Amino acid sequence: MELAPMLKALGDPTRLRLFQALLERKHCVRSLSRTLGISEPAVSQHLKLMRDCGLVCASRHGRHIHHMPAPEAAAFLAHCFAEMEARSAALDR
């Protein structure tokens, strides 16, 4: 996993809102579209980018595909930010 592509993806306000919605529960594209008030094709494009950088994964349930944060993504981001915080705290100011 690489931090820069994840941060770049989350730097877009719409993708950040999508990721935050997925942290609450699994969603299909239609559900995300209705929740955020954006078109289904736009949601699909954002989710593809987020899947490509490892932020999101999906599972099929019948005809529906449910999207969720990749299990390791949140832990990876938390670890990176905790490491940054520790380095900052260790600085002699």
Side-chain angles (χ1 to χ4, degrees):
M1 297 195 125
E2 292 184 46
L3 182 61
M6 288 180 166
L7 292 179
K8 184 175 180 180
L10 292 175
D12 179 88
T14 300
R15 286 192 288 270
L16 180 59
R17 289 176 46 216
L18 282 167
F19 193 69
Q20 289 171 326
L22 292 173
L23 288 170
E24 295 174 11
R25 68 178 185 88
K26 296 177 184 178
H27 283 274
C28 64
V29 170
R30 179 169 289 171
S31 171
L32 286 166
S33 173
R34 289 179 179 167
T35 299
L36 299 174
I38 58 177
S39 72
E40 290 180 30
V43 169
S44 292
Q45 289 295 319
H46 286 299
L47 287 172
K48 181 190 180 324
L49 190 144
M50 294 168 73
R51 274 193 314 273
D52 290 348
C53 72
L55 281 169
V56 173
C57 62
S59 62
R60 181 174 288 279
H61 296 277
R63 296 182 336 192
H64 299 281
I65 298 175
H66 292 177
H67 301 273
M68 66 212 83
E72 61 279 359
F76 176 73
L77 289 169
H79 170 76
C80 289
F81 283 111
E83 191 174 289
M84 287 181 219
E85 182 182 25
R87 287 181 185 175
S88 177
L91 288 176
D92 184 26
R93 297 178 191 217

